[in-house]
Amino acid sequence: MKFSDDFIFGGATAAYQCEGSTLEYGKGKVSWDDFLAKQGRFKADPASDFYHQYGQDLKLCKMFGINGIRISISWARIFPDGTGKINQEGIDFYHRVFQECHKNNVEPFITLHHFDTPDTLYQKGDFLNRETVDAFVDYAKFCFEEYKDEVKYWFTFNEIWAVATNTYIEGTFPNGEKYNMTKAFQIMHNMMLAHAKAVVAYKEAGYKGQIGCVQSLEYKYPYDENSLDDIQAAKNEDVLQNQFLLDATFKGYYSTETMEIVDRLVAINNGQLDLRDEDFEVMKKAAVLIDYMGMNYYQSRFIQYYDGENDIHHNGTGEKGTSRFCLKNVGRRMEKEGIPRTDWDWLIHPESMFDMLVRIRQQYPNYKCIYITENGMGYKDEFVDGVIDDAPRIDYIKKHLQYALKAVEAGVNVKGYFVWSLMDMFSWTNGYNKRYGLFYVDYETQKRYPKASAYWYKSVSETKEV
Ligand code: BGP
């Protein structure tokens, strides 16, 4: 079986990770700028300098059969303070980028928010503050109208779970709070509310394009499938990362099963959630109106029962075997024999992507369509005289594409796949030694070099076979 002729073989990017020029051309500060400066490990300038290099990146897309690109708009380039005064230079920049996409027959899929809340709003509580919800909707409406002739595919948010866990559980995103389950759930809810309001606004205005959001999912298996405790631990983590957001996306409310676990986890934290009836009204509307969901999929987890103290260590250096994720009353993530890992301890388990796709179709039969909006492998690429032989990455992508195709065979409507990432770029908590690109970036010269994976991806895009 082959992929259909209109299948998107894409590459994914995100503004803050590739644009560089983080405080130039009228752009306002975002939550990351001071946070990274304080850490002093690395910064997002010039990254892959997409601000100036997008012409060559899009040319490479065309040459290598990449017919779709995920790009995010930097909110603070349009509204430097999040609301109010606009920055014309920023607005014009994205017009130029989108026009260049179309010139090269590369369909732009645009994300409105990819982890980079404008600092002014971030300082007021980010999406925990409902003012940010309203500001986001205004920004979204502005973009819908401004770019209506160039953009037909929108995503409201990238990876709401990643925002929640990295900000409030793992503490690796600004400003690094740990083990606060209540804030994690609350920010997910508020962001899904903002998503829903933006979707309803888009559809009510009658634009011709399509809209959805991007969720990051990981299949959670019990470490010991015969242990009831492990089964419950896996369910806890599943609700925390997957089911809470999938319910919000496709139902517009949280099921009783979901809320039982959410309430328990929040109560243990002595917390309380602010979930209002009027939120669910708009979320239910959006659940019917969305055209697709973007699924970022990298790995699965094996979860064991755990009642010890919270203990999380993020492997942000590529020193294999240094990760720990033990969450009190939720579970502990385990390695599993026979399942390989990357140097950053990400499990390579492609069949779990199939399991997740099939699960969505079964559990949320109204889902319409799925784009795999990110999948790829962080790897310490070696550059030898301009040649980058990234065979492990090819193997990773190939197997995931095979399982995507298997899911299509099983009746799941998957319409596209975007490799994370199009070219090497800045990685939020890992810096620059974790490369993902199809194209190697020499950060000194900003020259791009196609890796072996880029040539291989081109042949897949041409033959539609994998
Ligand atoms: C996703 C994000 C991307 C990207 C990717 C790889 O969570 O949407 O922005 O960074 O993961 O993650 P990392 O860079 O941490 O390896």
Side-chain angles (χ1 to χ4, degrees), residues 56-162:
Q56 64 158 318
D57 287 323
L58 287 160
K59 216 174 279 154
L60 285 170
C61 286
K62 187 177 183 178
M63 281 169 63
F64 282 81
I66 296 162
N67 58 354
I69 183 171
R70 255 189 92 206
I71 297 170
S72 78
I73 295 178
S74 168
W75 182 352
R77 242 187 234 298
I78 309 277
F79 292 97
D81 294 319
T83 53
K85 216 174 116 269
I86 53 166
N87 171 38
Q88 194 59 44
E89 258 189 291
I91 295 167
D92 294 344
F93 165 66
Y94 291 109
H95 275 302
R96 293 198 298 278
V97 172
F98 301 153
Q99 282 158 17
E100 198 64 22
C101 288
H102 292 298
K103 237 201 270 169
N104 288 286
N105 292 322
V106 180
E107 189 65 46
F109 288 72
I110 305 307
T111 312
L112 287 163
H113 180 279
H114 194 127
F115 302 162
D116 54 351
T117 303
D119 196 52
T120 348
L121 295 169
Y122 177 76
Q123 295 301 339
K124 291 197 220 162
D126 202 357
F127 279 91
L128 288 178
N129 182 340
R130 285 177 180 244
E131 260 181 53
T132 306
V133 173
D134 296 333
F136 174 79
V137 178
D138 289 344
Y139 152 65
K141 283 183 185 163
F142 180 90
C143 292
F144 296 152
E145 181 59 25
E146 181 69 30
Y147 301 117
K148 62 175 186 282
D149 297 330
E150 292 148 354
V151 178
K152 298 288 175 239
Y153 299 92
W154 290 100
F155 293 106
T156 49
F157 287 102
N158 177 69
E159 296 197 351
I160 290 172
W161 160 249

Side-chain angles (χ1 to χ4, degrees), residues 17 114-115 158-159 296 298 346 374 420 427-428 430 434 436:
Q17 293 178 268
H114 194 127
F115 302 162
N158 177 69
E159 296 197 351
N296 291 357
Y298 290 91
W346 292 29
E374 280 182 34
W420 182 270
S427 166
W428 308 95
N430 312 282
K434 193 179 191 185
Y436 279 93

